Amino acid sequence: MRRTVRWLGLALALLIAALSAGNPCLGEETVNYVENQWNFVDGSMDISEGIPKSVTEGALVRIREAGVLRVATEPYYPPQEFIDPDFSGQETYQGADMELARTIARKMGVELEIVPMEFTQVLNAVRDGACDLAISALSFTPARASMVEMSKGYNYAGEDAGSALLIREADLEVITGVEDLAGRDIVAQSGSLQETLLAENVFHYHEFRRLGTITEVYEAVRTGDADAAMVDLDSARGYIDGNPECALTLVPNVQFQLEEQFDGDRVAGKKGELALMYFVNGVIDELLASGQYREWYDRYEARAAELGL
């Protein structure tokens, strides 16, 4: 998953009145949207009876009226999102996050339009109203939460929550730590935590380049265009295991641990659209309870390995 920057802000608790009576699953009580200092959502919408009739405005209703849910993603981050050449049209976008997007649209009763773009643009697309949601292995950061609404977390990495240095196997004896990057070229994906981690932890190098996709990052190291890369630990392990011929490895005993409160991917929506985020959280609840998202992740991890992604 794409990681987050360190928490620098003060704890902030926000309680906003949201949905009212009308949903038989909620009774006559007012439901409140609660977010704590890490934007963890404590309550979510029960959508087993569909969209509440009491919701009469906002993005949720506009999406339903339009009949289309537009989702921004950068489709080059397997197994969450990637392009499968065995499909065509919208179905070419495959991965665990794409299944999540399809499930949200299906439960809304609308069509799904996946809108591919660079990772650095997915949140802007939501903020500016070009897309309704961003689903692209997004982690929580205070900066992101200040510009968009973010769902509760899913796809937790647990012990694998962190970042590491990716190098060629042939360089294992010469690159054993951050200090060995002096005079070498390093890369990271633009807009990711790894870009920030390099700036905060690596001070001596020949050149640091930001690349558009994680695929480009892996390829730069593999071909010798770069000597090392800062990468997400969980994603990199999956890529190495699925592509043993790539001759890439992680520097042993060098890991930048992710703080627990920042673990988990999130869906982003336009700031203030709480009813829409309630709906998304309801879908996430169901998928986590059933273990469905993890099944998707494992299935698409195997598929991405078949494709050499």
Side-chain angles (χ1 to χ4, degrees):
M1 66 182 64
R2 301 177 225 269
R3 301 304 186 203
T4 177
V5 294
R6 296 177 300 178
W7 175 39
L8 300 177
L10 297 175
L12 177 64
L14 179 64
L15 178 63
I16 303 174
L19 302 176
S20 57
N23 187 344
C25 297
L26 301 175
E28 298 301 319
E29 297 181 358
T30 297
V31 178
N32 293 317
Y33 175 97
V34 182
E35 62 179 357
N36 65 20
Q37 64 267 35
W38 298 306
N39 205 41
F40 288 179
V41 180
D42 298 315
S44 64
M45 177 187 285
D46 181 344
I47 60 166
S48 59
E49 299 296 329
I51 302 174
K53 300 295 184 183
S54 59
V55 180
T56 58
E57 60 183 13
L60 196 58
V61 169
R62 293 195 298 272
I63 293 167
R64 194 180 189 189
E65 290 176 346
V68 178
L69 173 69
R70 290 172 54 84
V71 172
T73 194
E74 185 242 33
Y76 302 104
Y77 202 81
Q80 284 97 320
E81 40 266 335
F82 60 93
I83 293 177
D84 192 324
D86 286 353
F87 294 86
S88 61
Q90 285 282 300
E91 292 300 316
T92 192
Y93 303 112
Q94 296 287 306
D97 276 359
M98 299 297 91
E99 293 289 357
L100 171 59
R102 292 183 175 101
T103 301
I104 293 172
R106 184 176 69 253
K107 288 182 176 293
M108 281 185 184
V110 299
E111 297 295 321
L112 173 67
E113 181 182 354
I114 296 170
V115 184
M117 60 187 66
E118 292 186 3
F119 182 64
T120 54
Q121 296 302 310
V122 294
L123 291 182
N124 292 336
V126 170
R127 181 197 61 190
D128 298 339
C131 291
D132 305 304
L133 295 173
I135 305 180
S136 197
L138 292 163
S139 295
F140 164 77
T141 74
R144 289 171 180 170
S146 71
M147 65 182 289
V148 295
E149 296 295 341
M150 302 198 83
S151 74
K152 58 173 53 180
Y154 65 94
N155 188 35
Y156 292 94
E159 294 181 357
D160 286 339
S163 297
L165 290 177
L166 181 78
I167 61 173
R168 291 179 293 278
E169 291 178 346
D171 291 333
L172 266 174
E173 294 186 2
V174 294
I175 301 179
T176 61
V178 171
E179 64 280 359
D180 295 322
L181 296 177
R184 302 182 186 275
D185 295 339
I186 52 179
V187 293
Q189 184 179 15
S190 180
S192 67
L193 167 68
Q194 288 71 41
E195 177 183 353
T196 302
L197 285 174
L198 274 171
E200 293 179 344
N201 295 280
V202 182
F203 306 107
H204 303 287
Y205 50 82
H206 174 258
E207 182 182 33
F208 167 40
R209 301 198 312 277
R210 300 162 178 83
L211 302 179
T213 69
I214 191 61
T215 303
E216 292 176 297
V217 169
Y218 294 146
E219 189 67 5
V221 178
R222 187 190 69 81
T223 60
D225 190 42
D227 299 298
M230 187 76 81
V231 293
D232 173 70
L233 181 60
D234 190 34
S235 176
R237 283 176 174 167
Y239 179 82
I240 293 170
D241 291 344
N243 300 272
E245 74 286 350
C246 71
L248 297 175
T249 190
L250 299 174
V251 177
N253 304 316
V254 177
Q255 183 175 341
F256 302 88
Q257 193 66 36
L258 183 70
E259 296 179 39
E260 183 179 358
Q261 62 264 34
F262 297 130
D263 192 10
D265 293 336
R266 297 169 191 273
V267 176
K270 191 170 185 178
K271 198 69 176 176
E273 294 291 355
L274 301 184
L276 176 59
M277 202 50 61
Y278 262 116
F279 189 97
V280 170
N281 286 334
V283 176
I284 290 173
D285 279 342
E286 292 183 3
L287 296 176
L288 293 184
S290 66
Q292 181 62 73
Y293 188 88
R294 191 68 230 181
E295 291 181 16
W296 287 335
Y297 189 97
D298 292 342
R299 182 205 313 168
Y300 287 109
E301 188 172 46
R303 176 56 179 163
E306 290 178 8
L307 295 172
L309 300 177

